[in-house]
């Protein structure tokens, strides 16, 4: 019995802790009802005891926040206006001994408390969706050390630890598969329900669910740097940052509150002298004015909608870094796509290798792979993958430096190695044999990308790689145009021949090729001059400057990419172009809902003010109209929580 009582007490405490505003509103409502009932039954003493209790319980939080704002920031806010109006109604009721006015004030407190509770529900709903998105993370990991398994907290894992993950278990840490094969459910990160096949050499992420195969992982990132931790930080940042529209409304609210107070005082003083109103009527109308003129609904018009939109996007694998970006993406007029990994699959394949006279294909691939193993670019990854598949001996490279948009330079066995475009070789004063140049031209004319390899001042040969256009690319480009996107361009560092081929297949409006990272920035700036709001879609280091310059930088297929997560404003966790269309539609839907909420809030305030000055509205109706509109716009914003 004692145990059952303890559990009941614990549950009650947890409920109060999680939903304090809702509990306060419920208790306040009960007290208001009992107080009103007591007055109806002529139990005045009991009624005048219960109603003040309702004022205290329902209005405590609003009074505390309002007084804190007044004391610390020397600003008036809506919370304080509501408390003043409620206390004014109570005072007027006691003065005139018209106790229904005390009930009116209590109803004002009650509905304001209900509105606050619903607003809290909006925030809690988004937080709950985000917590459920992020909750799939293991607390412990099974480490294998000297053949022995040991379970330790995930926070204690070190780089290069070997972690065993059995079938059906959560992946506890970001790592590389060293043994095993399985299918993983990556839905918590990407929003994709289909499992992804993983084998030796593939990267896996904490929070994903292992399928039917056992995996041995090598830890290659600290636990605090895992992808799921970085996503959680991004979403928390998005929740805490108010977009420009909300900042404007909050600034407007502070000035508006002062105007309401001054106008309320004038309405108390002037009508008896100008129109001969009696003082009781004047004060009553002034109190109703304080209620109906307060911008509660206007303040609630933006944030619930944007927070709901952020939560909706997170469920679909679309991460908005702030409500600002959710607003902005809905106003995009032009989009610039990087080619590799966005309009194309990014799964480049080495289709041919031509060695220089006296060299071998294996030597060309071996030297190129030694430099490209440090690269995150799809071209470099394709070269390394081919060398590994052919089981070529790996060479150690040192002092490797990326040449953005051109290639990379490093040293192997103390000799300089250059891997990249022909222009990079020319910068290093390296001549390319004519037969190699002719071969390279033919490959580029057929839409392939050519990478040149030089060692110790001599050209070893060239590697041709081919990429394929995403099957859905042309359809998505067409859909974006139907959405009203006025200009769609492709920007790439690749050669013009390849760029034109991809451009024709995807249906983009304009092509920019052979660009360095700084050239991509200039293209974005040019588009911004013409179209104002411009989005850039990319996935690599070369895209980082353009992503930062764009009105909205969008990183595609960003799972595991530090640069994309740090630079982009919107992160698409999968490499499906359909997510971009969904993100734009979500942004536009949020804009529509916010505009609807603002229009509804303003119309309600105007109508209630006119009714008050015409003497056609009583305090309870004013309260219901005012707070009812606040509840409606809050619930309207929550519509974005639906898919």
């Amino acid at each position: 019995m004692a145990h059952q009582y303890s559990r009941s007490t614990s549950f009650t405490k947890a409920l109060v802790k999680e939903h304090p505003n809702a509990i306060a509103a419920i208790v306040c409502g009960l007290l208001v009802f009992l107080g009103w009932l007591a007055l109806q039954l002529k139990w005045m003493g009991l009624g005048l005891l219960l109603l003040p209790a309702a004022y205290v319980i329902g209005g405590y939080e609003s009074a505390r926040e309002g007084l804190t704002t007044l004391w610390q920031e020397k600003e008036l806010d809506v919370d304080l206006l509501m408390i003043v109006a409620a206390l004014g109604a109570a005072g007027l009721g006691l003065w005139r001994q018209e106790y229904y006015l005390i009930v009116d004030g209590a109803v004002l407190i009650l509905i304001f408390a209900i509105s606050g509770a619903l607003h809290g529900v909006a925030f809690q709903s988004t937080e709950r969706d985000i917590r459920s998105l992020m909750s799939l993370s293991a607390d412990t990991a099974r480490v294998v050390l000297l053949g022995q398994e040991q379970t330790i907290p995930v926070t204690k894992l070190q780089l290069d630890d070997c972690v065993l993950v059995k079938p059906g278990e959560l992946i506890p840490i970001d790592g590389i598969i060293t043994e095993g094969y399985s299918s993983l459910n990556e839905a918590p990160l990407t929003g994709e329900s289909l499992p992804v096949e993983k084998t030796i050499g593939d990267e896996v992420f904490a929070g994903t669910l292992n399928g039917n195969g056992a995996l041995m992982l090598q830890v290659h990132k600290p636990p605090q740097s895992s992808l799921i931790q970085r996503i959680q930080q991004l979403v928390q940042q998005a929740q805490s940052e108010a977009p420009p529209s909300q900042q404007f409304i909050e600034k407007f609210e502070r000035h508006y509150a002062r105007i309401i107070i001054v106008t309320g005082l004038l309405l108390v003083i002037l009508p008896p002298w100008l129109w001969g109103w009696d003082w009781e009527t004047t004060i009553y109308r002034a109190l109703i004015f304080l209620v109906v003129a307060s911008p509660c609904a206007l303040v609630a018009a933006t944030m619930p909608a944007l927070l709901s939109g952020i939560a909706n996007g997170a469920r679909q694998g679309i991460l908005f870094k702030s409500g600002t970006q959710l607003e902005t993406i809905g106003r995009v007029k032009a989009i610039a796509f990087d080619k590799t990994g966005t309009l194309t699959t990014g799964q480049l394949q080495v289709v041919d290798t031509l060695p220089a006279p006296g060299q071998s294909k294996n030597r060309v691939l071996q030297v190129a792979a030694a430099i490209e193993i440090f690269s995150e670019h799809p071209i470099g990854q394709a070269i390394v993958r081919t060398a590994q598949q052919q089981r070529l001996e790996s060479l150690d490279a040192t002092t490797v430096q990326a040449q953005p948009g051109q290639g990379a330079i490093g040293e192997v066995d103390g000799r300089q190695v250059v891997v990249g475009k022909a222009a990079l070789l020319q910068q290093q004063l390296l001549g390319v044999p004519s037969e190699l140049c002719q071969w390279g031209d033919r490959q580029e004319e057929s839409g392939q990308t050519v990478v040149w390899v030089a060692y110790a001042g001599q050209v070893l040969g060239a590697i041709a790689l081919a990429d394929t256009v995403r099957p859905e690319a042309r359809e998505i480009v067409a859909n974006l145009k139907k959405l009203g996107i006025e200009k769609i361009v492709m920007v790439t560092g690749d050669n013009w021949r390849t760029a034109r081929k991809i451009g024709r297949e995807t249906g983009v409006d304009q092509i920019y090729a052979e660009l360095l990272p700084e050239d991509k920035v200039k293209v974005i700036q040019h588009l911004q001059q013409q179209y104002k709001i411009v989005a850039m879609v990319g996935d690599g280091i070369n895209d980082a400057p353009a992503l930062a310059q764009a009105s909205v930088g969008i990183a595609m297929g960003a799972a595991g990419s530090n640069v994309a997560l740090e630079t982009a404003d919107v992160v698409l966790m999968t490499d499906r172009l359909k997510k971009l269309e969904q993100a734009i539609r979500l942004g536009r839907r949020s804009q529509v809902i916010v505009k609807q909420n603002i229009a509804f809030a303003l119309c309600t305030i105007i109508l209630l003010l006119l009714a008050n000055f015409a003497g056609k509205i009583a305090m309870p109706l004013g309260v219901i109209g005012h707070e009812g509109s606040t509840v409606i716009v809050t619930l309207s914003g929550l519509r974005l929580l639906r898919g």
Side-chain angles (χ1 to χ4, degrees):
M1 188 72 177
H3 176 66
Q4 190 175 17
Y5 173 77
S6 175
R7 287 177 55 189
S8 176
T9 304
S10 299
F11 173 77
T12 303
K13 289 181 178 178
L15 187 65
V16 172
K17 184 177 181 181
E18 186 174 354
H19 305 287
N21 292 339
I23 297 299
I26 291 171
V27 174
C28 177
L30 182 61
L31 291 172
V32 170
F33 172 74
L34 293 176
W36 169 82
L37 185 61
L39 293 181
Q40 294 299 309
L41 297 174
K42 308 301 181 182
W43 298 345
M44 298 303 176
L46 180 60
L48 295 178
L49 181 65
L50 293 173
L51 290 174
Y55 276 69
V56 172
I57 293 174
Y60 171 77
E61 189 64 26
S62 296
R64 186 184 64 81
E65 291 180 2
L67 291 173
T68 300
T69 302
L70 181 63
W71 178 261
Q72 294 181 353
E73 303 177 22
K74 304 299 186 290
E75 297 284 356
L76 293 169
D77 66 5
V78 174
D79 297 288
L80 200 56
L81 286 181
M82 291 298 99
I83 297 301
V84 169
L87 293 177
L92 186 60
L94 290 172
W95 178 25
R96 296 169 59 176
Q97 293 188 350
E98 295 178 357
Y99 298 122
Y100 70 88
L101 291 176
I102 302 177
V103 177
D104 289 351
V107 170
L108 170 58
I109 293 287
L110 170 61
I111 299 182
F112 197 62
I114 292 173
S115 176
L118 285 174
H119 200 236
V121 168
F123 280 84
Q124 288 171 357
S125 296
T126 58
E127 289 174 355
R128 185 165 54 251
D129 280 332
I130 291 163
R131 284 200 303 270
S132 66
L133 180 75
M134 302 304 166
S135 62
L136 287 178
S137 56
D139 297 323
T140 60
R142 190 180 291 105
V143 177
V144 178
L145 184 63
L146 301 176
Q148 299 293 319
E149 293 183 16
Q150 183 181 359
T151 301
I152 65 172
V154 169
T155 55
K156 300 294 184 182
L157 287 173
Q158 303 291 325
L159 293 179
D160 297 326
D161 278 351
C162 292
V163 176
L164 175 64
V165 183
K166 295 183 178 181
E169 292 183 343
L170 290 172
I171 303 295
I173 190 74
D174 288 7
I176 302 295
I177 298 176
T178 57
E179 295 180 29
Y181 169 86
S182 186
S183 59
L184 271 64
N185 179 1
E186 296 186 339
L189 298 183
T190 66
E192 296 295 322
S193 57
L194 293 177
V196 180
E197 303 297 324
K198 297 283 186 176
T199 188
I200 295 173
D202 289 338
E203 185 177 16
V204 297
F205 304 108
T208 55
L209 184 64
N210 189 21
N212 55 6
L215 298 174
M216 186 70 75
L217 312 179
Q218 182 181 26
V219 178
H220 75 310
K221 291 179 183 176
Q224 64 272 20
S225 299
S226 67
L227 178 63
I228 202 165
Q229 291 293 329
R230 286 179 286 146
I231 293 173
Q232 194 168 15
Q233 292 167 6
L234 288 179
V235 178
Q236 288 172 345
Q237 172 187 329
Q239 283 187 294
S240 62
E241 292 184 3
S245 59
Q246 182 67 17
Q247 292 174 7
F248 170 79
I249 287 175
E250 289 175 356
K251 184 178 180 181
F252 167 78
E253 177 198 357
R254 290 193 292 269
H255 296 297
Y256 185 74
R258 295 196 195 101
I259 295 172
I260 294 301
I261 289 291
V262 172
T263 306
L265 291 174
L266 292 175
L267 288 176
V268 171
I269 298 170
L270 296 180
W273 302 100
L274 297 179
W275 300 301
W277 290 10
D278 61 83
W279 287 103
E280 291 84 352
T281 301
T282 301
I283 294 173
Y284 187 62
R285 290 292 160 202
L287 290 174
I288 296 175
F289 171 81
L290 286 180
V291 173
V292 300
S294 297
C296 298
L298 200 58
V299 172
T302 304
M303 282 308 290
L306 295 182
L307 287 175
S308 299
I310 290 170
N312 187 334
R315 284 204 309 269
Q316 300 181 58
I318 304 168
L319 302 184
F320 294 94
K321 285 193 175 180
S322 71
T324 302
Q325 305 311 329
L326 179 59
E327 283 187 324
T328 305
I329 200 171
R331 297 186 286 116
V332 165
K333 294 298 182 184
I335 300 177
F337 284 96
D338 178 49
K339 177 181 73 68
T340 305
T342 50
L343 291 175
T344 66
T345 62
Q347 296 298 315
L348 289 166
Q349 302 289 333
V350 174
V351 294
D352 201 0
T353 304
L354 182 66
Q359 302 294 335
S360 67
K361 290 184 178 182
N362 285 353
R363 177 63 175 169
V364 175
L365 282 171
Q366 189 181 38
V367 173
I371 300 298
E372 294 291 5
I373 199 170
F374 296 95
S375 172
E376 292 184 0
H377 196 280
I379 290 176
Q381 293 173 348
I383 292 172
V384 172
R385 185 169 58 249
T386 301
Q388 291 174 343
Q389 290 171 349
Q390 297 184 12
R391 300 186 181 279
L392 300 179
E393 181 184 355
S394 60
L395 302 177
D396 293 328
T398 57
T399 65
V400 177
Q401 292 185 337
Q403 308 295 310
Q406 297 276 45
I409 298 174
E411 290 186 0
V412 173
D413 296 331
R415 303 293 184 89
Q416 186 188 59
V417 175
V418 181
V419 180
K421 296 180 178 179
L424 182 60
L425 270 65
Q426 293 170 1
Q427 290 177 12
Q428 302 299 315
L429 304 178
L430 299 174
V432 180
S434 59
E435 61 271 23
L436 289 180
C437 284
Q438 293 171 4
W439 179 85
D441 289 342
R442 289 195 301 272
Q443 304 306 313
E444 290 182 349
E445 285 174 1
S446 65
Q448 297 176 5
T449 299
V450 178
V451 174
W452 301 89
V453 184
Y455 175 77
Q458 293 189 347
V459 176
L460 293 183
I463 302 170
L465 302 98
D467 196 1
T468 56
V469 174
R470 294 183 184 276
E472 74 277 16
R474 189 173 189 87
E475 178 187 356
I476 296 300
V477 169
N479 289 346
L480 291 174
K481 291 179 180 178
K482 291 177 183 177
L483 279 176
I485 304 300
E486 298 175 15
K487 188 80 168 181
I488 300 177
V489 306
M490 183 179 75
V491 293
T492 178
D494 213 338
N495 63 81
W496 273 103
R497 296 186 184 95
T498 301
R500 288 193 186 99
K501 179 176 180 292
I502 301 298
R504 285 194 299 270
E505 292 183 28
T506 56
V508 298
D509 298 319
Q510 195 167 352
I511 300 164
Y512 297 88
E514 299 181 0
L515 300 178
L516 295 174
E518 56 266 31
D519 297 324
K520 292 183 180 181
V521 172
K522 292 176 182 177
V523 171
I524 298 297
Q525 291 173 336
H526 173 70
L527 291 172
Q528 286 174 326
Q529 290 175 358
Q530 192 171 359
Y531 298 97
K532 305 301 181 186
I533 309 298
V534 178
M536 168 69 192
V537 187
D539 70 337
I541 294 176
N542 291 345
D543 304 320
L547 288 172
Q549 173 63 39
S551 310
V552 184
I554 304 169
M556 267 190 61
S561 173
N562 287 319
V563 174
L565 282 171
E566 292 171 4
T567 308
D569 303 305
V570 181
V571 180
L572 310 181
M573 297 309 298
T574 68
D575 58 0
R576 290 182 56 199
L577 281 172
K578 185 69 176 176
K579 294 292 183 184
L580 173 62
E581 184 183 346
Q582 291 173 353
I584 292 174
R585 289 185 184 277
L586 185 59
R588 293 192 173 180
R589 190 176 168 210
S590 71
Q591 273 193 305
V592 169
I593 289 177
V594 167
K595 289 177 180 178
Q596 289 174 344
N597 287 349
I598 291 174
F600 177 77
L602 288 174
C603 289
T604 301
I605 290 173
I606 292 170
L607 287 174
L608 290 174
L609 286 174
L610 292 175
N612 181 43
F613 284 120
K616 302 296 185 182
I617 189 171
M619 175 73 80
L621 289 178
V623 170
I624 292 171
H626 174 264
E627 295 301 327
S629 64
T630 304
V631 171
I632 288 172
V633 297
T634 301
L635 294 176
S636 173
L638 293 181
R639 286 184 289 162
L640 279 174
L641 283 174
R642 299 197 299 267

